[in-house]
Amino acid sequence: MSRFMRKMSRRAIVQALIALPALSLFRSQQPVVDADEIVEINGWILRRSDLT
C-alpha cells in the first residue's frame, strides 16, 4: 500500500478526495419509499401515505 501511495502525487490524492463528495450529487435525490411505511413524527405514529 505504501508503495502505491508513493507513486501517486499529492495533487492526485487531493483531487480524488475532492471528487468523493461530488459523486453524491449524481445519486438519486428521491429515495423510493413504501407508502404504507410507518414513521414517527413529533411523537405521532403515522403511515407515510397519511402525510401526503
Side-chain angles (χ1 to χ4, degrees):
M1 179 72 178
S2 63
R3 196 169 70 200
F4 175 72
M5 293 299 283
R6 276 190 235 141
K7 288 183 180 183
M8 290 183 66
S9 68
R10 287 184 186 160
R11 179 176 287 182
I13 294 170
V14 170
Q15 287 176 342
L17 290 174
I18 291 173
L20 288 176
L23 292 176
S24 66
L25 296 175
F26 295 109
R27 291 190 301 179
S28 174
Q29 298 294 331
Q30 294 287 334
V32 177
V33 294
D34 185 18
D36 289 332
E37 182 182 12
I38 297 174
V39 294
E40 178 186 354
I41 298 176
N42 294 332
W44 291 86
I45 306 297
L46 303 168
R47 286 190 180 184
R48 194 171 290 275
S49 60
D50 294 338
L51 300 174
T52 57

